[in-house]
C-alpha cells in the first residue's frame, strides 16, 4: 500500500551532499594528519582500520538501541566482500607508492568504464549514448585537472589493475547485496565493518611498514595527532554510510561520477586552504568536469523517464485518456453524436 511506505530518512540530495561534504572533509583532515608538514602519520592502511573500527562501534550501538534492525546475510558473503574491499584499499595504496601520481589518477579514472562493463556483464545493465558521452566528458575534465607526469612499472601496473578491479567489484556488490537481502545501507555497513576493521587492524601495520618502512609502534602520538585521528574516524563514519546509501539508491557508475566531482572540490579547497597551485589547465578541466556532471544528471533523469511505465487508472486506461460516456454514466445509454443513433 502506498500509504504504508515510509519516506526515506535522508533525501537523494541529502545523500549526495553527505557523501561530498564528508569525503572532502575527510581528505582535508587526512592531508593535515598524514602530510610531512602536518603530523606525518604515514599509516594509511592502519588508519582505515581505525575508521572501520569506529564505524563498527556506531553500528553496534545502533543495533543495541533498536535504531536499526539486523538482517541475516551469510557470513561467507560478508567475508568475501571484506576480502575484496580490503584488497581494494591495499591495492590503491600500493599503486600510489609504486606508480607516479599521474598514472594513479589515470587508474582511478579507468574505474568508470570498468564499472560500466562489470554492471553490463553482471547485471545486464545498459547505458544510453547520452550517459556514456557525459561520463566521457567528466573523465576527460578530471584527467585534464589531475594527470601530469605518467610513469609506470610492471609491479605498479599489476597493483593498479587489482585495485581498479576490486574497487569496482566492491561498489557493485554493495548495491547487489542491498537488493538481494532487502537490507538497508547502514545495516549492511554494520555487518561488513567489523570484519574489515579486524583484518585491517591486524594486517594494516605490516602493509604500512612495507609501504614506508616505518613502524606504528615508533610513532610519537601527540595531542594534535590524536585529535585528527579521532576527527578522521568520525568523518569516515559519515563517508562510509553515505557511500552505501548512494550506491544502494543509485548505481556504482553514478557513485564514480560523483567521486570525480569530489576531486574537483578537493582541488579547489587545496588551493584555498593549502596554497596549492591552480593553473589555467586545472580551471578548464574543472569546468569541463562540472559541465559533464550536469549533462550526466540530465541524461540519467531522461533515461529514468523513458524507462518509467506509463501510469494507468483503475480502469486500465492511460491517465488523461478520455473515458467513454458509457463507462462514465452507468445505466444511461451512450449516444453517437455523429449520427444521433442511440446505442446500448
Amino acid at each position: 500500500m502506498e500509504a504504508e511506505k515510509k519516506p526515506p530518512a535522508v533525501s537523494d540530495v541529502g545523500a549526495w551532499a553527505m557523501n561530498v561534504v564528508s569525503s572532502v572533509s575527510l581528505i582535508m583532515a587526512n592531508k593535515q594528519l598524514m602530510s610531512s608538514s602536518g603530523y606525518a602519520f604515514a599509516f594509511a592502511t592502519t588508519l582505515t582500520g581505525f575508521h572501520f573500527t569506529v564505524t563498527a562501534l556506531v553500528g553496534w550501538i545502533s543495533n543495541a538501541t533498536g535504531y536499526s534492525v539486523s538482517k541475516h546475510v551469510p557470513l561467507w558473503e560478508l567475508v568475501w566482500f571484506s576480502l575484496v574491499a580490503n584488497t581494494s584499499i591495499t591495492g590503491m595504496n600500493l599503486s600510489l607508492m609504486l606508480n607516479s601520481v599521474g598514472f594513479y589518477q589515470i587508474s582511478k579514472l579507468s574505474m568508470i568504464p570498468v564499472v560500466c562493463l562489470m554492471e553490463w556483464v553482471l547485471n545486464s545493465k545498459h547505458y544510453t549514448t547520452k550517459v556514456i558521452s557525459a561520463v566521457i566528458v567528466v573523465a576527460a575534465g578530471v584527467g585534464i585537472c589531475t594527470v601530469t607526469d605518467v610513469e609506470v612499472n610492471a609491479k605498479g601496473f599489476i597493483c593498479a589493475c587489482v585495485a581498479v578491479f576490486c574497487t569496482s567489484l566492491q561498489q557493485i556488490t554493495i548495491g547487489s547485496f542491498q537488493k538481494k537481502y532487502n537490507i538497508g545501507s547502514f545495516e549492511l555497513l554494520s555487518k561488513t565493518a567489523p570484519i574489515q576493521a579486524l583484518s585491517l587492524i591486524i594486517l594494516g601495520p605490516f602493509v604500512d611498514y612495507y609501504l614506508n618502512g616505518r613502524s606504528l609502534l615508533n610513532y610519537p602520538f601527540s595531542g594534535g595527532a590524536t585529535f585528527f585521528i579521532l576527527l578522521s574516524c568520525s568523518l569516515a563514519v559519515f563517508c562510509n554510510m553515505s557511500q552505501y546509501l548512494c550506491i544502494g539508491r543509485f548505481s556504482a557508475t553514478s557513485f564514480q561520477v560523483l567521486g570525480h566531482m569530489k576531486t574537483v572540490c578537493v582541488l579547489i579547497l587545496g588551493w584555498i586552504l593549502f596554497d596549492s597551485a591552480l593553473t589555467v589547465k586545472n580551471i578548464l578541466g574543472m569546468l569541463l568536469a562540472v559541465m559533464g556532471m550536469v549533462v550526466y544528471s540530465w541524461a540519467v533523469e531522461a533515461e529514468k523517464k523513458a524507462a518509467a511505465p506509463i501510469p494507468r487508472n483503475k480502469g486500465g486506461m492511460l491517465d488523461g485518456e478520455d473515458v467513454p460516456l458509457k463507462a462514465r454514466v452507468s445505466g444511461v445509454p451512450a449516444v453517437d453524436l455523429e449520427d444521433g443513433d442511440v446505442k446500448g
Side-chain angles (χ1 to χ4, degrees):
M1 298 288 293
E2 290 295 328
E4 293 177 355
K5 289 185 178 179
K6 294 182 179 179
V10 181
S11 66
D12 292 347
V13 175
W16 286 124
M18 184 195 299
N19 187 258
V20 171
V21 173
S22 61
S23 298
V24 174
S25 301
L26 178 61
I27 291 172
M28 293 294 108
N30 287 349
K31 186 177 180 67
Q32 178 64 25
L33 175 64
M34 303 179 73
S35 66
S36 56
S37 59
Y39 294 99
F41 186 82
F43 308 98
T45 311
T46 306
L47 181 62
T48 306
F50 293 162
H51 290 171
F52 280 109
T53 300
V54 175
T55 302
L57 179 61
V58 171
W60 179 80
I61 293 174
S62 177
N63 288 331
T65 55
Y67 178 77
S68 59
V69 180
S70 180
K71 292 187 178 180
H72 175 70
V73 179
L75 180 61
W76 73 269
E77 292 219 69
L78 295 176
V79 172
W80 172 82
F81 172 84
S82 300
L83 178 63
V84 172
N86 289 350
T87 303
S88 162
I89 295 168
T90 305
M92 279 297 182
N93 289 338
L94 288 172
S95 175
L96 183 59
M97 182 190 77
L98 297 173
N99 299 314
S100 65
V101 175
F103 185 79
Y104 175 75
Q105 289 294 342
I106 289 177
S107 68
K108 289 180 67 177
L109 290 173
S110 69
M111 286 183 197
I112 287 186
V114 172
V115 166
C116 291
L117 179 62
M118 292 179 72
E119 284 200 314
W120 175 66
V121 172
L122 298 175
N123 301 328
S124 300
K125 185 177 178 64
H126 297 277
Y127 298 92
T128 63
T129 304
K130 295 176 183 177
V131 171
I132 294 173
S133 301
V135 166
I136 292 173
V137 172
V138 172
V142 177
I144 293 172
C145 290
T146 58
V147 177
T148 51
D149 59 314
V150 179
E151 296 178 9
V152 63
N153 55 70
K155 289 183 179 179
F157 180 77
I158 293 172
C159 288
C161 289
V162 171
V164 169
F165 176 81
C166 289
T167 302
S168 303
L169 182 59
Q170 174 211 9
Q171 293 180 358
I172 291 174
T173 305
I174 289 173
S176 298
F177 275 9
Q178 291 187 46
K179 293 175 183 177
K180 182 178 179 181
Y181 297 106
N182 191 27
I183 187 172
S185 54
F186 185 68
E187 287 75 16
L188 178 60
L189 178 61
S190 299
K191 287 186 172 296
T192 59
I195 302 174
Q196 288 187 255
L198 181 62
S199 54
L200 287 173
I201 289 294
I202 294 174
L203 299 176
F206 298 99
V207 174
D208 290 329
Y209 183 79
Y210 172 76
L211 289 173
N212 53 49
R214 297 172 60 183
S215 172
L216 180 66
L217 297 176
N218 296 330
Y219 179 76
F221 284 91
S222 63
T226 303
F227 169 78
F228 272 95
I229 289 173
L230 294 175
L231 176 62
S232 178
C233 290
S234 301
L235 291 170
V237 173
F238 292 98
C239 186
N240 289 330
M241 285 173 56
S242 59
Q243 177 188 3
Y244 279 56
L245 191 62
C246 288
I247 293 176
R249 289 193 185 186
F250 307 101
S251 69
T253 303
S254 295
F255 187 75
Q256 280 296 321
V257 172
L258 176 70
H260 292 308
M261 294 313 298
K262 288 183 286 188
T263 301
V264 173
C265 294
V266 169
L267 288 173
I268 295 174
L269 286 177
W271 172 63
I272 295 173
L273 300 177
F274 299 100
D275 295 325
S276 301
L278 196 63
T279 64
V280 175
K281 174 173 167 284
N282 295 140
I283 295 173
L284 292 176
M286 286 188 286
L287 291 175
L288 183 62
V290 171
M291 183 180 71
M293 181 63 182
V294 172
V295 175
Y296 178 83
S297 301
W298 167 77
V300 169
E301 285 302 315
E303 189 178 40
K304 287 180 180 178
K305 289 180 180 178
I310 302 175
R312 294 176 179 271
N313 55 33
K314 292 182 178 179
M317 304 191 71
L318 301 178
D319 283 350
E321 185 178 351
D322 192 21
V323 180
L325 184 61
K326 187 175 181 179
R328 286 187 224 164
V329 185
S330 176
V332 179
V335 179
D336 191 330
L337 297 179
E338 292 186 0
D339 53 20
D341 291 340
V342 178
K343 299 179 182 179

